[in-house]
């Protein structure tokens, strides 16, 4: 039997690419250039599986092509807002993702941004590199204490709950959250968390607000100018979910006018293009979408995609099928 023909859209960890080459008729992307919309469209006619990731905009228009050979899109990543799932399904294509395994590392990055924003970490690093540090003094770069403060989570899925666990047990933080639907019990870590009845209640109350909802069209600019006005002056806003959830222009206005103390961002609207005005602000920490970027997690993500496509090609239902 012929081995499934597979396209891997970006460069993956070496060990995982070796497995892919051994087990499938794999086309790898050694150059690691993001694929153009045309290349993605063509791929649908030539490959049995496309192993995509967040940099592949698999929009409705891409799926309007014939003939379609692709039967499965195995996404490397948990978020799938870049894939029009309905259009894929209308073409009979199964889509999978990689939940669970990146939860801890993304929660770690959230904690890192909370600490960096509160304690002005990047600002301090810049000060030293620019040779502007002239020694310790009692009122230099005072930030906010993290331990014992209130963390407000917008969305309370796996990553939010892992963050709650680390924040509560590591930093004695009080946890409040807002989630649109009842939280599945199997996800709940043993952390006492107070369920608020609105996003606004979280924004008004918390010292640190962290975004953990999907980057779906419904959540586009969920955090808009009116909502940014609700944060208190010493609060910090953290986003490790998707850039589109926060209105960037409104955030720039808020940070420029010190409506609250700072922000920590790992994700951006239209990334990798960053709004130049953000670059000029001292009270925002910027990271290049590092949430799941550890050797352990990226290897685990690759293995999980392989598991999904193997299940699919052997006639089983992949464990991470998106319905
Ligand atoms: C994820 O897994 O969704 C990460 O943001 C990378 O896509």
């Amino acid at each position: 039997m012929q081995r499934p023909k597979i396209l891997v859209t970006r460069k993956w960890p070496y060990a995982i690419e070796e497995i892919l080459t051994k087990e499938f008729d794999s086309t790898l992307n050694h150059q690691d250039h993001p694929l153009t919309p045309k290349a993605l469209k063509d791929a649908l006619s030539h490959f049995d599986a496309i192993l995509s990731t967040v940099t592949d905009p698999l929009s409705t228009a891409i799926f309007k092509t014939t003939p379609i050979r692709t039967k499965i899109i195995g996404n490397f990543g948990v978020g799938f807002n870049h894939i029009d799932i309905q259009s894929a399904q209308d073409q009979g294509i199964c889509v999978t993702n990689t939940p669970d395994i990146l939860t801890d590392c993304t929660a770690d990055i959230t904690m890192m941004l909370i600490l960096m924003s509160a304690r002005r970490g990047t600002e301090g690093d810049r000060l030293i590199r620019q040779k502007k540090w002239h020694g310790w003094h009692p009122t230099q770069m005072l930030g906010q204490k993290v331990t014992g403060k209130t963390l407000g989570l917008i969305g309370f899925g796996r990553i939010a709950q892992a963050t709650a666990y680390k924040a509560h047990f590591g930093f004695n933080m009080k946890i409040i959250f807002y989630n649109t639907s009842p939280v599945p019990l199997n996800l709940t870590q043993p952390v006492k968390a107070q369920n608020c009845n609105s996003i606004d209640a979280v924004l008004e109350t918390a010292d640190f607000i962290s975004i953990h909802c999907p980057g779906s069209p419904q959540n586009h600019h969920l955090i808009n100018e009116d909502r940014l006005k609700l944060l208190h002056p010493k609060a910090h806003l953290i986003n490790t979910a998707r850039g589109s959830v926060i209105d960037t222009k409104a955030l720039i206005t808020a940070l420029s006018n010190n409506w609250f103390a700072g922000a920590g961002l790992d994700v951006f609207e239209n990334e990798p293009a960053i709004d130049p005005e953000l670059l000029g602000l001292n009270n925002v920490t910027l990271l290049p979408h590092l949430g799941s970027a550890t050797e352990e997690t990226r290897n685990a993500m690759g293995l999980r995609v392989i598991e999904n496509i193997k299940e699919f090609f052997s006639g089983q239902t992949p464990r991470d099928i998106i319905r």
Side-chain angles (χ1 to χ4, degrees):
M1 209 182 79
Q2 273 205 328
R3 297 185 308 164
K5 207 166 171 314
I6 278 166
L7 175 69
V8 188
T9 64
R10 299 299 300 268
K11 189 165 170 44
W12 283 19
Y14 180 71
I16 308 302
E17 289 194 339
E18 275 204 322
I19 301 173
L20 285 166
T21 308
K22 215 165 89 202
E23 305 210 8
F24 302 97
D25 177 1
S26 298
T27 299
L28 305 178
N29 182 351
H30 297 297
Q31 306 299 320
D32 203 20
H33 296 315
L35 296 192
T36 61
K38 180 175 181 322
L40 286 170
K41 207 172 177 139
D42 288 350
L44 284 169
S45 304
H46 293 103
F47 294 90
D48 299 307
I50 298 177
L51 308 192
S52 65
T53 193
V54 66
T55 54
D56 302 312
L58 289 157
S59 60
T60 316
I62 304 278
F63 290 101
K64 287 196 179 122
T65 186
T66 46
I68 289 204
R69 174 170 172 170
T70 300
K71 295 164 203 72
I72 179 166
I73 294 174
N75 189 60
F76 184 92
V78 67
F80 49 82
N81 57 301
H82 55 289
I83 307 173
D84 185 325
I85 302 292
Q86 189 58 55
S87 298
Q89 288 170 348
D90 289 348
Q91 295 286 13
I93 302 171
C94 159
V95 184
T96 61
N97 68 342
T98 59
D100 310 317
I101 48 199
L102 45 72
T103 299
D104 263 317
C105 280
T106 310
D108 289 353
I109 283 280
T110 307
M111 288 312 302
M112 179 169 138
L113 282 173
I114 289 173
L115 290 163
M116 282 172 86
S117 190
R119 303 304 304 275
R120 303 172 63 176
T122 36
E123 208 183 325
D125 182 86
R126 268 195 301 274
L127 192 81
I128 291 182
R129 287 174 198 277
Q130 291 167 358
K131 302 202 175 3
K132 288 185 184 157
W133 186 47
H134 305 300
W136 189 94
H137 61 99
T139 55
Q140 182 194 30
M141 289 193 58
L142 305 185
Q144 278 78 41
K145 183 174 176 179
V146 172
T147 298
K149 293 286 178 65
T150 298
L151 172 62
L153 301 156
I154 309 286
F156 203 52
R158 298 177 194 86
I159 297 170
Q161 291 181 34
T163 305
Y165 185 89
K166 290 166 201 281
H168 180 70
F169 291 110
F171 293 88
N172 196 25
M173 294 179 91
K174 179 179 172 216
I175 311 297
I176 63 173
F177 71 91
Y178 174 78
N179 201 66
T180 40
S181 50
V183 181
L185 277 177
N186 60 345
L187 291 180
T188 308
Q189 302 267 12
V191 174
K192 253 208 222 141
Q194 184 196 323
N195 192 343
C196 295
N197 55 15
S198 70
I199 295 178
D200 294 2
V202 174
L203 297 174
E204 280 165 359
T205 315
D207 302 301
F208 296 89
I209 295 103
S210 186
I211 309 292
H212 295 281
C213 53
S216 58
Q218 300 88 296
N219 290 339
H220 184 259
H221 290 187
L222 184 73
I223 307 298
N224 56 20
E225 183 167 327
D226 286 346
R227 289 204 156 121
L228 290 171
K229 286 187 175 147
L230 300 176
L231 275 71
H232 68 72
K234 292 194 176 162
H236 293 259
L237 178 65
I238 309 300
N239 190 6
T240 55
R242 285 293 183 260
S244 60
V245 179
I246 301 178
D247 178 344
T248 310
K249 284 290 178 205
L251 178 64
I252 289 165
T253 304
L255 291 170
S256 310
N257 292 292
N258 299 310
W259 293 356
F260 47 90
L265 309 176
D266 187 43
V267 287
F268 303 88
E269 287 193 270
N270 311 314
E271 60 183 63
I274 308 288
D275 192 311
E277 286 187 85
L278 270 181
L279 304 178
L281 294 172
N282 236 350
N283 53 354
V284 61
T285 298
L286 308 170
L287 295 181
H289 204 144
L290 293 181
S292 60
T294 61
E295 290 173 8
E296 296 89 338
T297 295
R298 291 288 161 84
N299 280 316
M301 287 163 71
L303 290 175
R304 187 72 166 249
V305 178
I306 292 175
E307 188 180 334
N308 278 310
I309 58 170
K310 275 182 152 177
E311 281 167 348
F312 180 83
F313 286 116
S314 65
Q316 300 166 55
T317 304
R319 68 187 280 192
D320 302 316
I321 190 165
I322 297 165
R323 298 191 191 270

